[in-house]
């Protein structure tokens, strides 16, 4: 199960992940035991029944579950344990993965955990951000429950959960979050998460967005660049051609965030989430942190020219 085809991570990445999470997992287990017995331990370390799944297998089971979204009963059969054992392992390791944050390109050992960290990093390094939203289909709430229509997306016409992703010009993931019901607009999700406030606190940070964040571009015209508005049908032909070329250049500069989102979509839970909706944000944060580890190793791409080049000479 440690093959990259199952877990989506190479062996070196998986080994480093196990080593990184071993300390926090041990501390969390000791804290839970101390709270349960109401004081210090009375026996030596290691006494009592051991775990049916060792820690390395617990991490591996969780990563495979996040990658393939296999039934927990199938994973239990593969490891020769009961289904509650696999469920307990996932509930222990998944919060640790979700709390790791996001890797910083060319800065090993440093993680971005909040939006304030992302904007401070972008301002210090002069990084131009790319912001976009995506949706994941989730289970429909039961009939009669309040807020049942909150997950119905007007765009997808499905029950979805909406997230916001921030990357840089090289397609490297810097932050992904702001999980909201699918009915909420992308711009509303950004404002409730505090992205607009971070733009106000960091006036040197610039970002490129799509048409869904037009209001944000209107509030911060010197920082946020949205696609140009379409001219009316009575506009001259040259003006319409200029608008089309300006839109093409803006889309070409912003397409890297779509590639970043596609890296996340390779993980099955973010294609169609089958679990409980209250665990979606934690699952998404765990997957995004693992994806950022992969994208942070990507080298910076050179800035390509967007000027038109004449393919062949024409004669009048």
């Amino acid at each position: 199960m440690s093959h990259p085809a199952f877990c989506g991570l190479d062996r070196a990445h998986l080994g480093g992940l196990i080593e990184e999470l071993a300390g926090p997992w041990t501390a969390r287990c000791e804290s839970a035991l101390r709270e349960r017995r109401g004081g210090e331990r009375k026996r030596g370390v290691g006494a009592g029944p051991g775990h049916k799944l060792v820690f390395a297998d617990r991490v591996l089971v969780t990563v495979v579950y996040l990658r393939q979204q296999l039934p927990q009963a199938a994973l239990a059969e593969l490891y020769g344990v009961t289904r509650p054992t696999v469920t307990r392992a996932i509930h222990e390791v998944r919060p640790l993965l979700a709390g790791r944050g996001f890797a910083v390109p060319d800065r090993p050992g440093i993680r971005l955990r909040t939006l304030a960290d992302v904007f401070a990093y972008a301002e210090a390094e002069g990084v131009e951000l790319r912001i976009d939203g995506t949706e994941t289909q989730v289970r429909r709430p039961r009939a009669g429950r309040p807020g049942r229509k909150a997950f119905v997306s007007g765009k997808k016409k499905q029950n979805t959960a909406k997230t916001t992703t921030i990357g840089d010009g090289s397609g490297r993931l810097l932050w992904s979050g702001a999980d909201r019901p699918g009915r909420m607009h992308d711009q509303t999700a950004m404002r409730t998460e505090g992205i607009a406030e971070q733009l106000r606190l960091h006036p040197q940070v610039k970002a490129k967005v799509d048409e869904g964040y037009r209001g944000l571009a209107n509030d911060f015209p010197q920082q946020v660049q949205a696609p140009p508005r379409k001219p009316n049908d009575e506009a001259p032909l040259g003006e319409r051609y200029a608008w089309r070329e300006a839109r093409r250049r803006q889309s070409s500069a912003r397409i890297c965030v779509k590639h970043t989102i596609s890296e996340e979509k390779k993980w099955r839970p973010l294609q169609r989430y089958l679990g409980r909706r209250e665990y979606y944000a934690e699952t998404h944060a765990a997957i995004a942190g693992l994806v950022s580890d992969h994208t942070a190793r990507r080298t910076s791409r050179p800035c390509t020219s967007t000027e038109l080049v004449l393919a062949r000479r024409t004669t009048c």
Side-chain angles (χ1 to χ4, degrees):
M1 300 300 289
S2 62
H3 193 278
F6 289 100
C7 65
L9 307 177
D10 57 71
R11 301 291 174 81
H13 188 187
L14 182 61
L17 186 67
I18 294 173
E19 184 179 359
E20 178 186 348
L21 298 181
W25 179 79
T26 304
R28 187 167 185 172
C29 290
E30 289 295 331
S31 177
L33 289 174
R34 177 186 175 88
E35 183 178 355
R36 187 186 308 171
R37 62 176 173 255
E40 298 292 339
R41 66 165 56 246
K42 299 180 181 179
R43 292 190 292 179
V45 179
H51 295 285
K52 295 181 180 180
L53 276 179
V54 297
F55 175 69
D57 287 337
R58 287 171 177 263
V59 175
L60 185 57
V61 163
T62 305
V63 173
V64 171
Y65 176 74
L66 293 176
R67 177 69 175 186
Q68 306 293 345
Q69 201 169 210
L70 293 175
Q72 296 180 10
L75 290 173
E77 188 67 25
L78 288 173
Y79 277 88
V81 295
T82 60
R83 184 181 179 276
T85 300
V86 174
T87 303
R88 191 179 306 112
I90 293 174
H91 281 275
E92 287 178 1
V93 178
R94 185 171 55 189
L96 300 178
L97 292 173
R100 294 174 63 238
F102 304 89
V104 179
D106 305 324
R107 298 289 190 278
I110 301 178
R111 314 287 295 188
L112 304 175
R113 289 181 170 82
T114 62
L115 271 176
D117 295 341
V118 175
F119 278 82
Y121 163 75
E123 187 174 36
E125 300 292 334
V127 177
E128 187 177 38
L129 303 178
R130 269 70 168 176
I131 306 175
D132 200 3
T134 184
E135 296 182 72
T136 303
Q137 186 177 358
V138 296
R139 297 167 62 180
R140 186 181 186 185
R142 289 185 179 180
R145 288 192 174 183
R148 193 182 187 211
K149 296 183 179 179
F151 290 90
V152 179
S153 170
K155 179 180 180 181
K156 298 286 187 180
K157 302 299 187 288
Q158 296 174 339
N159 290 268
T160 63
K162 186 170 293 185
T163 57
T164 302
T165 299
I166 300 179
D168 61 2
S170 298
R172 296 175 292 193
L173 180 62
L174 299 179
W175 186 83
S176 189
D179 302 285
R180 297 291 187 274
R183 192 175 183 179
M184 184 178 294
H185 196 274
D186 290 344
Q187 186 168 266
T188 306
M190 285 183 58
R191 292 183 182 278
T192 55
E193 191 68 20
I195 295 181
E197 182 64 24
Q198 292 299 324
L199 286 171
R200 189 175 295 106
L201 295 176
H202 301 86
Q204 303 300 323
V205 176
K206 300 184 181 300
K208 284 184 169 61
V209 297
D210 62 1
E211 192 65 37
Y213 303 99
R214 171 67 62 183
L216 196 68
N218 293 338
D219 294 342
F220 302 93
Q222 303 299 325
Q223 296 178 254
V224 181
Q225 180 187 359
R229 292 184 180 275
K230 184 178 180 180
N232 53 36
D233 297 336
E234 299 177 356
L237 186 62
E239 183 177 343
R240 281 182 283 173
Y241 281 161
W243 166 79
R244 187 179 304 173
E245 175 61 19
R247 188 179 183 88
R248 183 193 69 81
R249 294 189 181 189
Q250 204 269 354
S251 299
S252 178
R254 193 179 47 82
I255 192 63
C256 53
V257 72
K258 296 291 187 182
H259 298 162
T260 304
I261 293 175
S262 68
E263 293 279 348
E264 297 181 88
K265 292 291 185 178
K266 292 179 181 179
W267 296 68
R268 290 294 180 85
L270 299 188
Q271 298 174 13
R272 182 179 180 182
Y273 184 67
L274 302 179
R276 300 170 67 93
R277 290 184 308 278
E278 52 264 32
Y279 295 131
Y280 173 77
E282 185 177 87
T283 301
H284 176 259
I287 293 175
L290 295 174
V291 172
S292 72
D293 294 340
H294 173 70
T295 60
R297 298 196 297 263
R298 187 179 302 156
T299 58
S300 300
R301 299 175 183 174
C303 297
T304 57
S305 175
T306 56
E307 297 181 0
L308 292 177
V309 179
L310 191 62
R312 57 186 178 87
R313 292 184 175 276
T314 57
T315 59
C316 297

